[in-house]
Amino acid sequence: MEKGCEENRRQLADGFRRCRDAFTAIGDETRQALLLALLESDLAGIRVGEIAQKTHLTRPSVSHHLKILKEAGIVAMRREGTKHYYYLSADETRWREMADLVGRVYSSIQHIGAPLEGEEG
């Protein structure tokens, strides 16, 4: 059992390292507003100007925060000529990895709180 616990701890630590920038990026309230705007938009993507209108932020501010989200693997971007479209994608971003990590943490917490065999809860 000890070896399994150590392996789980190692995998959790690795997951936190890989997702650190992503969790930091989504911790900011302004970036959360951008994510909400992206969630409400067409899956094909939305441009900076449209996000600025929806969030009442300036275009430079939106661009700055989108850059952080993109570099952290939270949003994806595609180009059509000179136009950039930002969108959320489960396959092209870290969302799945983050969800798996949170699920692993949750399972670990449940395991810690579970009564041992032979004990009553």
Side-chain angles (χ1 to χ4, degrees):
M1 184 68 177
E2 183 70 32
K3 189 173 186 174
C5 290
E6 181 59 30
E7 176 64 17
N8 187 52
R9 190 209 59 76
R10 186 192 61 73
Q11 289 177 355
L12 286 170
D14 289 346
F16 279 120
R17 266 191 297 283
R18 285 192 310 275
C19 295
R20 183 174 291 135
D21 291 344
F23 281 118
T24 299
I26 64 172
D28 180 87
E29 287 183 49
T30 300
R31 291 190 280 274
Q32 291 168 10
L34 296 183
L35 291 171
L36 290 171
L38 289 168
L39 284 167
E40 294 169 355
S41 72
D42 186 335
L43 292 177
I46 186 170
R47 296 181 61 208
V48 170
E50 295 170 273
I51 297 171
Q53 287 177 339
K54 286 181 178 245
T55 59
H56 306 289
L57 297 167
T58 64
R59 288 175 59 101
S61 178
V62 170
S63 293
H64 167 75
H65 288 287
L66 284 172
K67 180 180 183 226
I68 291 168
L69 290 167
K70 186 174 178 290
E71 288 174 353
I74 297 299
V75 300
M77 187 265 299
R78 68 178 172 79
R79 290 186 179 134
E80 283 184 16
T82 59
K83 297 176 182 175
H84 297 172
Y85 293 88
Y86 293 88
Y87 60 98
L88 297 172
S89 167
D91 297 328
E92 299 174 51
T93 59
R94 291 208 174 272
W95 288 107
R96 182 171 314 214
E97 190 174 1
M98 293 167 59
D100 291 345
L101 175 61
V102 170
R104 183 180 290 274
V105 170
Y106 184 72
S107 293
S108 296
I109 293 167
Q110 285 181 314
H111 177 74
I112 290 168
L116 297 174
E117 284 185 39
E119 288 186 7
E120 293 198 22

